[in-house]
Amino acid sequence: MTSLYLHVPFCRSKCPYCDFYSVAGNEAALRAYPGSLCRHMELSREAGWSGPLGTLFFGGGTPSLLSPEEIGRILDAGARIFGIAEGAEISLEANPGTLTLESLRGYRLAGINRISLGLQSLSDVRLRRLGRSHTAGQGRQAVDWSRKAGFNNLSCDLMFALPGEDLSSLRSEIDAFLALAPDHLSCYGLTVEEATPFYHLHRAGELSLPEEEDFAAQFMALHQWLAEEGFGHYEISNYARPGFECRHNRRYWQRRSVLGVGAGAHSFSAKGWGRRSAAAADLEHFLNAIARGEEPAELLEVFDRRGAMAETLFLGLRTDAGVDEQEFRHLFATGVAEAFPRAVSQVGARLSLREGRWRMDLEGWLLYNHLITSFL
Ligand code: SF4
């Protein structure tokens, strides 16, 4: 069983904080894109990838800029080329403002069974501050229409640590999200990425973000509030009601094979110690390579045993499941503490072995990017 990620690098407009690869306003390329994705799947099969597919994920960008018919065509091609397993999870990222009740019904009919809505906020003031092109009303309507269209696995994105946000405004935000009864929430703190308009505003002193301790307080509060509402905090940025954890994303954190197709998509093959490849984040380059019948992905990294051990920890410790000591031993013929004695002692009390699994505690997750470098 493998997984398929389909990258759709198109957006209506570019949000000023976003450094993901996506292009705005190239209608001709957008309409040519589904055919190129199908061809990329064929080239991947010729290169040795096989099915059946247990999870599929349309991510972006804004995949909901593709019509239900286009999504249906891509899924038919996926079924023909690799086969899609019974009960496969098939997710689509969608932005409010690109959706109608009819299009959502169409996606559902095409086979999408999990929808992930890029709401980010339910306050018009905050959405404007973020430069998003939709309103809070459109966000609410997208949730309502998704339910009406038959999506019973629904996720929302929420951004916290926004300029001017404090615990009380975050509490109101969370209450507004909870009123929509999502099954899953992805909560990301706003970060300022280089070469984005927000970066320049920040440097010019025109955008102030919460201080570190305010960020920490908001991260901790989210954990507590959502736990009280029955959400499991199953990965640093992800919460789910029991049974609604994203199966596709779990595969990344478990370091299992995921084929990525599309411009800028990454693939990981778990064969050997693992290898990672990616198609360049360049739409023209991607479309031209596909038109010539050439595989657009290039090899980025072939892991050795040490690299595979480090990455198993880097990915696994992000999750509530952590890293199973026995499985680690079985794979690498050594235990975590034997392989990384210095890192385990440096991370100290934030990391522990309980019931056979290594796990970070909540504070460890808060400091994750800093702590995990001890293993790299
Ligand atoms: S819609 Fe998403 S991917 Fe597109 S520019 Fe905005 S944040 Fe980036």
Side-chain angles (χ1 to χ4, degrees):
M1 197 82 81
T2 189
S3 286
L4 178 67
Y5 174 77
L6 304 110
H7 192 58
V8 183
F10 297 89
C11 290
R12 275 229 171 121
S13 56
K14 202 69 203 163
C15 303
Y17 58 87
C18 175
D19 73 338
F20 292 143
Y21 174 64
S22 67
V23 293
N26 191 340
E27 187 63 24
L30 175 62
R31 300 283 77 97
Y33 198 68
S36 301
L37 279 182
C38 298
R39 187 73 191 109
H40 195 182
M41 283 192 261
E42 279 165 359
L43 290 167
S44 304
R45 187 187 51 189
E46 287 163 22
W49 285 89
S50 60
L53 303 171
T55 68
L56 296 91
F57 194 107
F58 288 88
T62 307
S64 51
L65 288 178
L66 296 178
S67 68
E69 293 70 30
E70 288 169 322
I71 293 288
R73 235 173 79 209
I74 297 165
L75 287 176
D76 287 349
R80 177 173 49 77
I81 296 166
F82 295 114
I84 297 180
E86 185 77 29
E89 176 191 87
I90 309 180
S91 303
L92 178 88
E93 286 185 340
N95 277 331
T98 63
L99 298 167
T100 61
L101 177 56
E102 199 192 347
S103 69
L104 283 157
R105 284 195 171 126
Y107 292 134
R108 187 73 195 87
L109 268 177
I112 302 292
N113 53 26
R114 179 175 183 276
I115 191 121
S116 173
L117 298 170
L119 261 54
Q120 315 308 345
S121 172
L122 285 164
S123 139
D124 281 327
V125 173
R126 275 186 227 123
L127 285 169
R128 269 199 301 276
R129 216 176 273 155
L130 283 171
R132 298 290 302 197
S133 61
H134 68 271
T135 63
Q138 285 174 312
R140 286 195 175 86
Q141 192 158 57
V143 173
D144 182 43
W145 282 341
S146 298
R147 292 300 195 194
K148 284 198 173 106
F151 285 100
N152 54 18
N153 190 346
L154 183 148
S155 177
C156 295
D157 289 350
L158 176 156
M159 290 183 82
F160 68 98
L162 303 185
E165 188 161 67
D166 58 16
L167 278 181
S168 122
S169 59
L170 183 61
R171 179 72 235 194
S172 312
E173 183 82 287
I174 272 291
D175 287 341
F177 272 77
L178 291 172
L180 299 176
D183 306 302
H184 184 283
L185 280 167
S186 295
C187 302
Y188 297 100
L190 176 66
T191 50
V192 171
E193 307 295 340
E194 244 177 272
T196 60
F198 266 25
Y199 178 77
H200 300 296
L201 282 177
H202 192 241
R203 282 195 60 151
E206 289 167 34
L207 178 81
S208 65
L209 292 180
E211 298 292 329
E212 243 173 64
E213 59 267 31
D214 297 324
F215 183 99
Q218 292 187 24
F219 179 84
M220 295 293 184
L222 277 175
H223 173 87
Q224 193 197 321
W225 295 336
L226 290 171
E228 285 164 9
E229 297 292 329
F231 282 83
H233 193 173
Y234 75 101
E235 192 267 345
I236 295 177
S237 306
N238 286 285
Y239 296 82
R241 295 195 187 282
F244 287 95
E245 297 83 6
C246 177
R247 278 158 50 196
H248 182 86
N249 284 341
R250 273 236 192 257
R251 288 188 59 102
Y252 290 109
W253 301 316
Q254 291 166 344
R255 211 167 176 267
R256 294 165 75 185
S257 294
V258 178
L259 167 64
V261 294
H266 286 234
S267 297
F268 176 72
S269 161
K271 281 189 191 146
W273 295 121
R275 51 177 56 208
R276 213 170 278 289
S277 55
D282 177 336
L283 190 59
E284 209 181 307
H285 180 276
F286 172 78
L287 293 172
N288 288 339
I290 292 287
R292 291 194 300 270
E294 288 168 13
E295 166 60 63
E298 281 172 21
L299 189 60
L300 293 183
E301 187 171 6
V302 178
F303 287 83
D304 59 13
R305 176 172 166 273
R306 183 81 190 168
M309 285 196 287
E311 203 184 58
T312 299
L313 292 164
F314 174 73
L315 295 171
L317 293 175
R318 304 182 63 85
T319 67
D320 63 342
V323 172
D324 186 295
E325 169 73 4
Q326 281 310 319
E327 270 176 35
F328 190 93
R329 226 168 241 291
H330 178 72
L331 271 174
F332 301 114
T334 181
V336 171
E338 287 154 65
F340 297 94
R342 221 173 43 178
V344 168
S345 96
Q346 272 168 359
V347 175
R350 306 278 64 86
L351 177 69
S352 59
L353 178 63
R354 281 172 286 126
E355 293 153 6
R357 289 183 168 275
W358 290 93
R359 291 186 176 95
M360 284 275 192
D361 66 7
L362 197 57
E363 233 170 283
W365 275 358
L366 183 59
L367 304 171
Y368 198 77
N369 289 343
H370 167 67
L371 291 180
I372 205 65
T373 55
S374 306
F375 289 94
L376 303 179

